[in-house]
Amino acid sequence: DQNNAQTLDALGQFYVAENRCNKAIPVLQRANQIAPNDNNVRYHLGVAHDLGPRWGERRPPPPAGEA
């Protein structure tokens, strides 16, 4: 549902988990517009903004010894 902040938040979290922050950010921005006082949405949007440039939309390498 395009007007349900929790659904959009879950979709945004999925995109972040899949290293697709470029897709997550607009979805989470929409969720934040719908529910501007929802701290979970705001947190997830911040995570997407933070991780997108770091990962360069790619999964980071695994820690040493966990390949």
Side-chain angles (χ1 to χ4, degrees):
D1 181 5
Q2 296 281 340
N3 294 311
N4 184 303
Q6 288 72 33
T7 300
L8 293 169
D9 183 50
L11 178 60
Q13 289 180 70
F14 170 78
Y15 283 143
V16 169
E18 293 292 314
N19 305 316
R20 296 168 66 192
C21 294
N22 61 327
K23 293 229 176 225
I25 290 170
V27 170
L28 291 166
Q29 287 173 331
R30 175 68 180 137
N32 191 52
Q33 289 174 341
I34 296 167
N37 296 319
D38 187 324
N39 289 331
N40 289 321
V41 172
R42 293 170 67 189
Y43 173 78
H44 296 140
L45 179 57
V47 168
H49 276 291
D50 185 51
L51 293 179
R54 285 190 195 186
W55 286 357
E57 300 303 322
R58 296 181 314 253
R59 186 170 299 280
E66 293 186 21

